[in-house]
């Protein structure tokens, strides 16, 4: 069985729980006491990931770290439709990779602001918030024009990809770091769409959306 | 010396929690904020913890403040004559597992967080599938009183339907809760222990007011449980509080309004009504919007 | 300093910001709004705060007809923002008119406009009324509205359809909320209005609209991109300058105190038999054989909030007052629909509505009252209707359907032509089970089957003719349904009222002792002494005039209370019930 070294309040761990739920995968969650226990910096965990970061995935003898890398692995290995990680479409795959890197930028800003406010990390909070807003302006503009072109998702496809999964959590959790999404209506609509994907699950801090259509 | 930012004499004279003692590294200084004052604290090699007002200089140090170790936390006060800290008699029972389950920052006032901790009606919505579930949304009649001998609020006989009442519960059913609010910013929840139904598990919310609109919420867990892993208990508690956090941060105004005409109560809010009146009677002004005289 | 003009209309959203089942968060002069479009197209602009505990409604759920708060699941109706359901107390209709603050709304030029206290109309621009106009991407700017308005005058952009670098942009007009620019080049001209939404002292949103959009779509998109680029560059410049100055203090919007009755623990409102609203008959049609449907529209403003199961009093032209259940589902409140069966022994109610009242007539109606509230916490809800008894149950069925809850609607009629409101029934699909042409015995057997599978958490709602209700109640009781799970509403009380007793009543809160003689009701005597008592049907069927009995034994003659409620003797209907003991102490 797949093993996920997991922490409930981590958006990066949630990305993987979300994709595995959408793909219908069973997995075992191994709780790492990230906060306040700092177990990700403990000896036993550093042997698994010398970077001392969550999440880590173990599957069939493979030990993989980095949320975006694990998304790629899970989709490539388990998604029969090849849609979440469209490996046979070079242009689309390029776009997916571009936005996976963008998701890392969201982690470095919006997630950092949240760690500062909720878990008292000693980060430059103003810089983190400004950085988050800069990225959200770019994402909102991208999604707004996407809607004009008939596109619901981050990449140019008629279905969501792991790029959506990678960007979603720390966008949704941004307000815990004092980054309001009021100025980003296209992002807010995209968040509703992600919440309506079949198999969607929430995490603490993320509310479910209403029904997509009349019952 | 700069003037105190908090002018509320009741709040200044209380003991406030600032950190879990078990998480304090020996020989290191840490910093936090209490009532808008920068506070330093640390634990010496001999295990004794101390607290001081930060002077602003690089080497730390400053005027010492009273320090007290209680319930696994380090407490301090900015007042001259702090009242005795409230009692949690069960804490001394030797077979209990007790530790800090979480310390989390929330952008809300301390009283809003306490009121949410007492609230029964939100359980099936905010903690759906864990501490409640639709369609079991009814809040059954419960009792609330201000216990005069101790000056604290008590809510008892609170029956709550829970699909999963604790870290290792499986089926659903009614669980009996009772609450104490022995301190304007602290509340204690008792619920029957899954391991020993004749005794009560305890979760206490101990709020450190950073300023009027932001807090550090410390969660003490104190339970009869020989089997659960500490990490699983922490995960459970953090999952729950992580669900409350966006609700609290979306409450407006962030300070708790004490004027009865500010928000609409219903029968199930009896404990919140009692809590707001109790704060009003004490004349508390910090973290609240006092009722117009 | 920014002037706060609360009478002026400002845009707060684009029409495109309100897609299906979304809740938009907006802000004006520091005050936040939750903005949502219901499935019927109505745009709601509400204070962004649940009256209960102040949680933002913009994080709530739009279910198409109601907005659900995330904190305690309270539901608020489309249009009125009146609370329709409080899950913590599922058996009670919200006793008070708990209503969130709403703001007026106008949709114009592809934008959604509001004002706190509007005086006058939305700024008028004829040239934006044309169908070809194009709303630009809104641009939020971290700077004061004045600074943004000043900078917008220097915005340069080419007219649609012009290529090349040679164009001119000139200010056509400008005031303290909009700058109109005209872009000209050889053979092309484009007018653009840039409305500046004052979000706060130091924040605003620029909402541009062009008078025409080029065709086809790719050309339109390139205009949108070009203007977006130019506005983004202008924003960078504005924010660079604004960041060098101290930001003005943010607005602190005042939160209005609640009316006293909402601030206290439930007090029952004291409405007598009053007509509070005037409506016109928008449509009258034959909803089924002998059943007339009436759709009522308010002469002005919005209709009051109603809950499923509620009824209204209709004051008829001939002076009669009659009660009819609201047929609409919760949150469907542009008009109210009722169904009126022609009664062969009509005493001026149904015959007046059938024969005299026509489309366009004006009627007076009361505030909706709900003495037949629907719990929405049942594991399964069984609705059993006989004949015209369909009306309240249809309202319930539509509400349960919209919320996706498990229910069945069983509809007993003599023949198919008696089935009313087929269009509404059709939308409920397979949850509707018609039972046509059954004899009394066959009906009883069918109800026996339906009541067979009782499990804890299920609830049964009955409405129909007296004998059928009587039978269904006994069958349910025999099948193990507890009294509190069986809810019923009689159209009327067909029991012979015995008003021969005389007794004394003591009114505890009013400190009055009164004599009720034979031939007079408690309600009449109490009212005579100046005490305002609500009432509606005045025949012991609707439950409006219920009172709490503190002492004494009531002589129940109503059909509203169930048997265990009657046995407990703690409440009674003052319009028909009397006393077995010489004295009653009432909580009045």
């Amino acid at each position: 069985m797949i093993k996920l070294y997991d922490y409930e309040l981590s958006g990066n761990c949630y990305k993987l729980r979300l994709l595995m739920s959408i793909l219908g995968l069973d997995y075992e969650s191994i709780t790492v006491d990230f906060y306040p226990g700092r177990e990700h910096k403990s000896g036993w965990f550093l042997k698994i990931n010398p970077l001392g970061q969550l999440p880590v995935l173990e599957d069939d003898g493979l030990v993989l770290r980095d949320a975006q890398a694990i998304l790629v692995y899970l989709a490539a290995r388990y998604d029969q439709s090849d849609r979440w990680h469209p490996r046979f479409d070079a242009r689309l795959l390029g776009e997916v990779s571009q936005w996976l890197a963008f998701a890392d930028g969201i982690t470095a800003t919006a997630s950092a602001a949240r760690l500062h406010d909720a878990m008292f990390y000693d980060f430059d909070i103003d810089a983190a918030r400004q950085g988050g807003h800069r990225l959200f302006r770019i994402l909102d503009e991208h999604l707004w024009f996407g809607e004009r072109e008939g596109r619901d998702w981050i990449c140019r496809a008629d279905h969501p990809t792991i790029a959506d999964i990678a960007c979603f959590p720390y966008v949704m959790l941004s307000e815990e770091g004092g980054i309001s999404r009021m100025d980003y209506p296209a992002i807010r609509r995209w968040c509703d769409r992600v919440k309506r994907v079949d198999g969607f699950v929430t995490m603490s801090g993320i509310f479910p959306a209403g029904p997509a259509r009349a019952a | 010396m700069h003037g105190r930012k908090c002018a509320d004499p009741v709040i200044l004279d209380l003991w406030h929690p600032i950190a879990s003692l078990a998480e304090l590294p020996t020989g290191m200084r840490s910093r936090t904020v209490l009532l808008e004052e920068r506070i330093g604290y640390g634990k010496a090699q001999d295990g004794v913890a101390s607290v001081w007002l930060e002077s602003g200089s690089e080497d730390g140090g400053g005027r010492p403040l009273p320090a007290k170790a209680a319930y696994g936390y380090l407490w301090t006060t900015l007042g001259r004559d702090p009242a005795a800290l409230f009692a949690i008699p069960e804490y001394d029972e030797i077979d209990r597992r007790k530790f800090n389950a979480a310390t989390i920052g929330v952008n809300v006032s301390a009283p809003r967080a306490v009121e949410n901790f007492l609230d029964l009606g939100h359980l099936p919505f905010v903690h759906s599938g864990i501490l409640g579930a639709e369609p079991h949304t009814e809040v059954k009649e419960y009792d609330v009183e201000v216990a005069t001998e101790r000056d604290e609020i008590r809510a008892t006989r609170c029956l709550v339907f829970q699909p999963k009442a604790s870290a290792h519960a499986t089926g659903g059913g009614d669980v009996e809760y009772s609450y104490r609010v022995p301190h304007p910013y602290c509340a204690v929840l008792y619920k029957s222990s899954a391991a020993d139904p004749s005794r009560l598990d305890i979760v206490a919310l101990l709020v450190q007011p950073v300023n009027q609109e932001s807090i550090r919420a410390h969660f003490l867990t104190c339970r009869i449980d020989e089997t659960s892993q500490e990490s699983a208990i922490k995960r459970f508690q953090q999952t729950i509080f992580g669900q409350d956090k966006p609700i609290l941060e979306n409450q407006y105004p962030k300070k708790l309004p004490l004027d009865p005409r500010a928000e609409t109560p219903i029968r199930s809010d009896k404990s919140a009504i009692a809590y707001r009146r109790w704060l009003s009677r004490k004349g508390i002004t910090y973290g609240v919007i006092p009722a117009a005289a | 300093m920014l002037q706060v003009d609360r009478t002026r209309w400002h845009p707060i959203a684009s029409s495109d910001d309100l897609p299906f089942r979304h809740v938009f968060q907006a802000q004006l002069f520091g005050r936040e709004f939750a903005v949502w479009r219901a499935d019927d197209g109505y745009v709601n602009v509400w204070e962004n705060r649940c009256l209960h505990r102040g949680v933002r409604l913009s994080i709530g759920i739009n279910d198409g007809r109601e907005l659900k708060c995330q904190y305690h699941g309270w539901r608020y109706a489309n249009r009125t923002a009146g609370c329709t359901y409080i899950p913590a107390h599922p058996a009670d209709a919200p006793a008070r008119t708990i209503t969130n603050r709403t703001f007026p709304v106008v949709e114009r030029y592809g934008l959604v406009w509001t004002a706190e206290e509007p005086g006058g109309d939305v700024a008028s621009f004829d040239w934006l009324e044309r169908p070809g106009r194009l709303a630009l991407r809104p641009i939020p700017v971290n700077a004061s509205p004045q600074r943004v308005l000043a900078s917008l005058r220097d915005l340069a952009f080419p007219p649609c359809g012009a290529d090349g670098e040679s164009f001119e942009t000139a200010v056509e007009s400008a005031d303290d909320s909009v700058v109109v620019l005209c872009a000209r080049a050889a053979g092309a001209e484009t007018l653009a209005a840039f409305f500046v939404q004052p979000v706060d002292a130091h924040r605003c949103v620029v909402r541009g609209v062009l008078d025409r959009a080029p065709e086809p779509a790719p050309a339109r998109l390139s205009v949108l991109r070009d203007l977006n680029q130019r506005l983004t560059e202008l924003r960078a410049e504005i924010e660079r300058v604004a960041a060098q100055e101290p930001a003005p203090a943010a607005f602190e919007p005042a939160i209005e105190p609640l009316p006293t009755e909402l601030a206290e623990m439930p007090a029952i409102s004291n409405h007598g038999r009053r007509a509070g609203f005037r409506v016109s008959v928008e449509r009258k049609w034959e909803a089924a054989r002998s059943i007339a449907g009436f759709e009522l529209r308010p002469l002005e403003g919005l209709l009051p909030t109603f809950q499923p199961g509620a009824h209204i009093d209709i004051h008829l032209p001939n002076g009669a007052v009659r009660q009819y259940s609201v047929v609409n589902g919760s949150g469907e409140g542009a008009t109210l629909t009722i169904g009126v069966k022609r009664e062969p022994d009509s005493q001026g109610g149904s015959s007046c509505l059938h024969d005299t009242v026509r489309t366009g007539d004006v009627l007076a109606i009361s505030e909706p009252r709900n003495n037949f509230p629907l719990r929405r916490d049942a594991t399964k809800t069984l609705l059993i209707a006989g004949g015209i008894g369909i009306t309240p149950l249809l309202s319930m069925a539509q509400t349960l359907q919209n919320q996706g809850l498990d229910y069945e609607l069983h509809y007993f009629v003599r023949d198919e032509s008696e089935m009313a409101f087929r269009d509404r029934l059709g939308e409920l699909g397979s949850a509707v089970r018609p039972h046509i042409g059954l004899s009394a015995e066959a009906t009883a057997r069918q109800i026996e089957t339906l009541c067979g599978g009782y499990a804890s958490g299920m609830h049964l709602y009955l409405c129909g003719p007296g004998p059928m209700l009587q039978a269904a109640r006994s069958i349910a009781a025999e099948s193990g349904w507890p009294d509190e799970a069986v809810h019923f509403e009689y159209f009327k009380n067909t029991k012979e009222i015995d008003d021969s007793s005389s007794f004394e009543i003591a009114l505890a809160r009013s400190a009055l002792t009164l004599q009720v003689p034979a031939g007079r009701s408690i309600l009449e005597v109490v009212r005579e002494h100046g005490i305002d008592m609500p009432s509606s049907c005045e025949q012991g069927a609707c439950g409006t005039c219920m009172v709490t009995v503190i002492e004494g034994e009531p002589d129940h003659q109503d059909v509203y209370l169930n048997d265990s409620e009657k046995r407990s003797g703690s409440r009674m209907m003052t319009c028909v019930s009397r006393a077995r003991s010489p004295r009653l102490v009432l909580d009045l």
Side-chain angles (χ1 to χ4, degrees):
Chain A
M1 175 130 65
I2 300 171
K3 267 194 203 170
L4 175 65
Y5 292 87
D6 195 12
Y7 176 61
E8 171 64 25
L9 302 184
S10 154
N12 272 332
C13 294
Y14 167 61
K15 287 174 194 177
L16 308 182
R17 301 197 294 265
L18 179 53
L19 183 65
M20 288 194 279
S21 169
I22 290 170
L23 296 179
L25 298 177
D26 275 340
Y27 64 94
E28 182 191 351
S29 168
I30 296 160
T31 298
V32 177
D33 180 9
F34 174 84
Y35 184 83
R38 291 179 57 80
E39 216 179 347
H40 57 302
K41 303 292 183 194
S42 66
W44 74 268
F45 189 78
L46 288 173
K47 278 185 207 147
I48 298 168
N49 180 3
L51 292 178
Q53 291 170 343
L54 286 172
V56 171
L57 189 96
E58 269 183 38
D59 187 24
D60 258 355
L62 172 73
V63 178
L64 205 56
R65 62 174 184 250
D66 186 286
Q68 272 62 261
I70 299 169
L71 286 176
V72 168
Y73 166 76
L74 286 171
R77 167 130 192 223
Y78 293 106
D79 171 26
Q80 307 295 328
S81 73
D82 281 326
R83 288 156 80 100
W84 289 97
H85 182 251
R87 54 192 162 136
F88 300 115
D89 182 333
R91 293 172 67 108
L92 192 51
L93 197 56
E95 277 189 41
V96 168
S97 303
Q98 169 189 299
W99 288 100
L100 291 183
F102 189 85
D104 272 330
I106 299 176
T107 305
T109 54
S111 166
R114 173 173 173 259
L115 286 174
H116 172 276
D117 276 19
M119 294 171 189
F120 321 108
Y121 276 61
D122 191 13
F123 293 141
D124 179 344
I125 184 63
D126 293 333
R129 286 182 187 150
Q130 275 169 21
H133 279 297
R134 194 174 70 85
L135 295 180
F136 285 9
R137 279 184 171 180
I138 291 166
L139 181 59
D140 188 74
E141 179 180 293
H142 174 74
L143 290 167
W144 193 89
F145 281 101
E147 289 175 340
R148 296 300 164 298
E149 291 164 357
R151 178 165 54 75
D152 279 347
W153 309 102
I154 287 183
C155 298
R156 261 167 234 283
D158 60 1
H159 55 80
T161 63
I162 54 172
D164 297 283
I165 305 285
C167 292
F168 176 76
Y170 287 120
V171 168
M172 271 316 295
L173 296 168
S174 72
E175 292 181 345
E176 294 193 0
I179 301 174
S180 162
R181 289 186 298 279
M182 189 174 0
D183 282 347
Y184 312 109
I187 290 182
R188 291 172 54 93
R189 292 191 288 275
W190 164 77
C191 287
D192 270 15
R193 293 194 288 270
V194 173
K195 290 176 181 185
R196 288 167 180 161
V197 169
D198 278 347
F200 177 82
V201 286
T202 58
M203 69 170 270
S204 292
I206 297 180
F207 296 112
R213 59 190 77 79
Chain B
M1 273 300 286
H2 51 87
R4 292 254 162 70
K5 283 111 183 172
C6 168
D8 183 330
V10 183
I11 296 301
L12 282 173
D13 260 348
L14 289 168
W15 289 102
H16 297 283
I18 53 172
S20 153
L21 282 167
E23 291 160 26
L24 264 186
T26 303
M28 274 180 48
R29 294 163 178 271
S30 305
R31 283 175 171 169
T32 187
V33 178
L34 174 68
L35 298 168
E36 296 157 66
E37 299 286 0
R38 298 201 304 131
I39 301 278
Y41 59 95
K43 189 160 68 179
Q45 298 296 343
D46 60 3
V48 175
S50 56
V51 187
W52 58 90
L53 261 178
E54 289 268 310
S55 60
S57 62
E58 261 312 297
D59 61 343
R63 185 162 73 79
L65 289 173
K68 179 194 276 293
Y71 314 128
Y73 295 86
L74 177 59
W75 303 67
T76 190
T77 179
L78 300 178
R80 296 215 177 106
D81 183 21
L85 186 59
F86 59 89
I88 307 179
E90 299 82 355
Y91 187 85
D92 297 327
E93 295 168 4
I94 48 163
D95 60 343
R96 284 182 180 263
R97 305 263 306 271
K98 40 208 172 193
F99 51 88
N100 178 40
T103 294
I104 295 187
V106 191
N107 291 314
V108 75
S109 63
R112 285 272 195 204
V114 170
E115 187 174 282
N116 173 70
F117 190 73
L118 303 177
D119 186 272
L120 298 168
H122 78 293
L123 300 177
F125 296 96
V126 178
H127 308 299
S128 179
I130 307 175
L131 296 182
E134 291 185 80
H136 307 279
T137 58
E138 184 160 16
V139 175
K140 295 171 193 108
E141 214 50 49
Y142 61 94
D143 298 326
V144 180
E145 56 161 359
V146 178
T148 43
E149 80 280 11
R150 273 194 186 150
D151 186 29
E152 66 179 46
I153 292 176
R154 284 191 202 161
T156 49
R157 234 172 30 86
C158 309
L159 285 180
V160 182
F161 176 89
Q162 300 207 332
K164 182 186 170 196
S166 65
H168 51 109
T170 45
D174 273 355
V175 174
E176 188 168 334
Y177 280 25
S178 55
Y179 296 89
R180 286 172 58 202
V181 188
H183 177 298
Y185 295 167
C186 298
V188 187
L189 161 66
Y190 296 80
K191 61 175 167 183
S192 35
S193 165
D196 178 353
S198 71
R199 296 171 68 190
L200 298 170
D201 282 340
I202 293 175
V203 181
L205 167 66
L206 312 172
V207 178
Q208 168 190 349
V210 171
N211 59 44
Q212 298 211 59
E213 301 193 343
S214 85
I215 59 166
R216 276 159 52 104
H218 305 278
F219 282 90
L220 165 68
T221 178
C222 173
R223 51 198 284 149
I224 299 114
D225 182 343
E226 287 174 4
T227 51
S228 302
Q229 287 206 332
E230 190 169 311
S231 60
I233 299 171
K234 284 183 178 171
R235 180 175 188 155
F236 178 79
Q237 208 57 51
Q238 294 184 14
T239 300
I240 298 300
F241 194 65
Q243 293 171 333
D244 286 315
K245 187 170 152 65
I247 291 284
L248 292 171
E249 292 182 337
N250 275 293
Q251 277 185 299
Y252 183 82
K254 288 184 181 297
K255 290 191 253 185
L256 185 72
L258 298 184
D259 187 329
R261 284 184 61 191
E263 292 176 347
T264 306
I266 54 169
R267 284 205 309 284
S268 59
D269 296 323
K270 278 201 305 202
S271 54
I273 294 167
Y275 175 59
R276 291 183 186 201
R277 284 187 188 147
W278 187 65
L279 295 179
S280 261
R281 269 202 311 279
K282 288 180 171 298
I284 284 175
T285 57
Y286 197 80
V288 301
I289 302 172
Chain C
M1 184 59 203
L2 175 61
Q3 287 302 305
V4 182
D5 184 352
R6 297 184 199 285
T7 64
R8 185 160 199 160
W9 292 86
H10 288 281
I12 53 163
S14 305
S15 292
D16 293 343
D17 284 331
L18 308 177
F20 190 69
R21 305 251 168 133
H22 182 72
V23 189
F24 180 81
Q25 182 185 14
Q27 192 174 328
L28 192 62
F29 296 121
R31 181 184 294 285
E32 280 190 31
F33 305 97
V35 187
W36 62 286
R37 193 189 295 276
D39 287 0
D40 66 5
Y42 189 84
V43 176
N44 293 280
V45 178
W46 295 358
E47 175 107 61
N48 194 12
R49 163 167 206 274
C50 176
L51 275 192
H52 178 217
R53 285 294 173 255
V55 170
R56 282 195 176 92
L57 291 170
S58 58
I59 63 169
I61 288 179
N62 168 2
D63 84 356
R65 293 179 172 191
E66 295 171 324
L67 186 73
K68 177 188 174 194
C69 177
Q70 290 282 10
Y71 197 7
H72 296 95
W74 288 28
R75 289 176 170 270
Y76 296 98
N78 175 29
R79 292 172 192 265
T80 60
C83 181
T84 49
Y85 187 63
I86 297 177
H89 300 302
D92 308 335
R96 300 160 293 170
T97 317
I98 298 173
T99 304
N100 280 303
R101 184 163 179 202
T102 60
F103 295 88
V105 60
V106 166
E107 245 185 305
R108 194 167 295 166
Y109 320 136
L111 303 176
V112 177
W113 301 71
T114 197
E116 282 192 38
E117 294 141 14
D121 290 325
V122 172
S124 168
F125 294 96
D126 296 348
W127 47 274
L128 285 180
E129 302 279 10
R130 289 181 225 152
R133 60 149 197 269
L134 183 63
L136 304 179
R137 176 167 177 259
I139 305 288
V141 188
N142 293 320
S144 71
Q146 302 96 304
R147 179 184 299 283
V148 173
L149 283 159
S151 302
L152 276 169
R153 305 171 72 104
D154 300 327
L155 179 71
F157 66 96
C160 302
D163 4 285
E165 297 294 302
S166 164
F167 60 85
E168 273 181 11
T169 316
V171 177
E172 283 282 304
S173 67
D175 65 15
D176 54 3
S177 67
V178 60
V179 175
V180 177
L181 300 178
C182 183
R184 291 189 186 87
E189 185 177 294
T190 296
L191 269 174
F194 294 91
F195 300 100
V196 175
Q197 169 192 349
V199 169
D200 210 324
H202 189 62
R203 297 201 306 131
C204 55
V205 180
V206 178
R207 299 186 180 276
V209 189
L210 306 189
D211 64 339
R212 72 192 67 191
E215 295 290 343
R220 197 160 58 235
L221 203 58
S222 93
V223 168
L224 287 173
R225 283 197 187 276
D226 178 57
L227 270 151
N228 183 66
Q229 183 60 34
R230 289 169 190 274
L231 284 166
T232 306
E233 283 165 14
L234 184 70
R235 167 169 74 182
E237 179 57 23
I238 295 172
E239 290 186 344
R240 193 183 58 74
V241 177
Q244 289 159 7
E245 292 167 9
F251 289 112
E252 284 266 345
I255 299 174
E256 287 190 1
L258 297 166
T260 324
E261 70 269 20
L262 289 193
E264 286 159 8
M265 293 282 269
I268 307 293
S269 64
N270 266 343
H271 293 302
R273 205 163 151 139
R274 291 188 204 115
F277 297 87
R278 300 214 309 152
V279 293
S280 72
V281 178
E282 168 126 328
R283 188 161 77 99
K284 174 183 178 182
W285 73 104
E286 192 177 5
R289 180 154 53 80
S290 311
I291 295 177
F294 292 85
E295 190 180 345
L296 310 174
R297 182 176 289 281
L299 288 190
E300 56 183 27
L302 294 175
L303 286 164
T305 311
F306 64 91
Q307 302 133 8
H311 72 269
I312 49 173
D313 292 348
I314 298 203
H315 295 244
L316 294 168
N318 63 7
V321 181
R322 291 290 183 273
Q323 292 75 47
Y324 295 98
S325 294
V326 173
V327 171
N328 309 44
S330 193
E332 183 213 340
T335 59
L336 286 182
T337 294
I338 58 167
V340 179
K341 182 168 188 227
R342 182 191 284 279
E343 298 295 341
D345 55 348
S346 169
Q347 292 172 350
S350 69
S351 63
C352 175
L353 276 158
H354 272 260
D355 302 334
T356 315
V357 174
R358 294 155 199 251
T359 304
D361 283 1
V362 172
L363 299 170
I365 65 170
S366 70
E367 183 99 37
R369 264 189 285 270
N370 195 359
N371 301 319
F372 193 29
L374 171 69
R375 297 179 69 115
R376 304 195 203 176
D377 67 337
T379 51
K380 178 169 186 171
T381 306
L382 217 51
L383 308 171
I384 298 184
I388 190 64
I390 188 67
T391 51
L393 300 189
L394 189 49
S395 169
M396 293 180 182
Q398 292 166 102
T399 303
L400 295 168
Q401 173 93 11
N402 193 55
Q403 224 173 300
L405 297 171
D406 189 13
Y407 77 99
E408 288 170 16
L409 171 57
H410 294 273
Y411 188 8
F412 291 80
V413 287
R414 272 179 296 192
D415 62 69
E416 215 160 325
S417 66
E418 284 188 356
M419 283 183 69
F421 303 107
R422 283 161 180 274
D423 47 341
R424 288 177 184 269
L425 290 170
E427 284 171 22
L428 302 177
S430 62
V432 180
R433 318 279 167 84
H435 303 279
I436 299 165
L438 301 186
S439 66
E441 294 74 31
T443 299
R445 277 200 302 280
Q446 184 64 52
I447 293 175
E448 235 174 272
T449 314
L450 299 178
C451 289
Y454 173 73
S456 172
M458 287 173 68
H459 283 268
L460 172 63
Y461 291 79
L462 300 164
C463 188
M468 176 185 162
L469 247 61
Q470 214 56 49
R473 286 173 58 195
S474 348
I475 293 168
E478 285 158 21
S479 314
W481 289 73
D483 272 356
E484 62 272 14
V486 180
H487 314 267
F488 50 86
E489 184 170 76
Y490 283 82
F491 309 144
K492 57 184 175 200
N493 187 356
T494 50
K495 288 183 189 164
E496 188 104 358
I497 306 294
D498 174 4
D499 61 359
S500 60
S501 60
S502 64
F503 51 94
E504 184 179 279
I505 52 172
L507 311 186
R509 273 185 280 151
S510 320
L512 271 178
T513 300
L514 306 172
Q515 282 299 323
V516 182
R520 310 287 312 277
S521 71
I522 298 177
L523 182 65
E524 285 168 340
V525 171
V526 162
R527 279 196 179 149
E528 239 165 51
H529 287 82
I531 290 165
D532 191 13
M533 272 286 287
S535 75
S536 184
C537 77
E538 301 191 359
Q539 49 163 301
C542 79
T544 307
C545 66
M546 184 157 71
V547 68
T548 299
V549 180
I550 298 170
E551 235 179 85
E553 189 191 348
D555 169 20
H556 296 289
Q557 306 205 33
D558 63 282
V559 289
Y560 179 80
L561 296 174
N562 67 31
D563 295 341
S564 47
E565 288 166 332
K566 282 181 180 168
R567 272 195 305 275
S568 87
S570 61
R571 290 181 297 176
M572 68 184 294
M573 298 303 138
T574 53
C575 61
V576 293
S577 297
R578 307 184 70 81
R580 287 190 200 285
S581 51
R583 176 181 150 95
L584 291 175
V585 181
L586 304 178
D587 185 22
L588 276 175

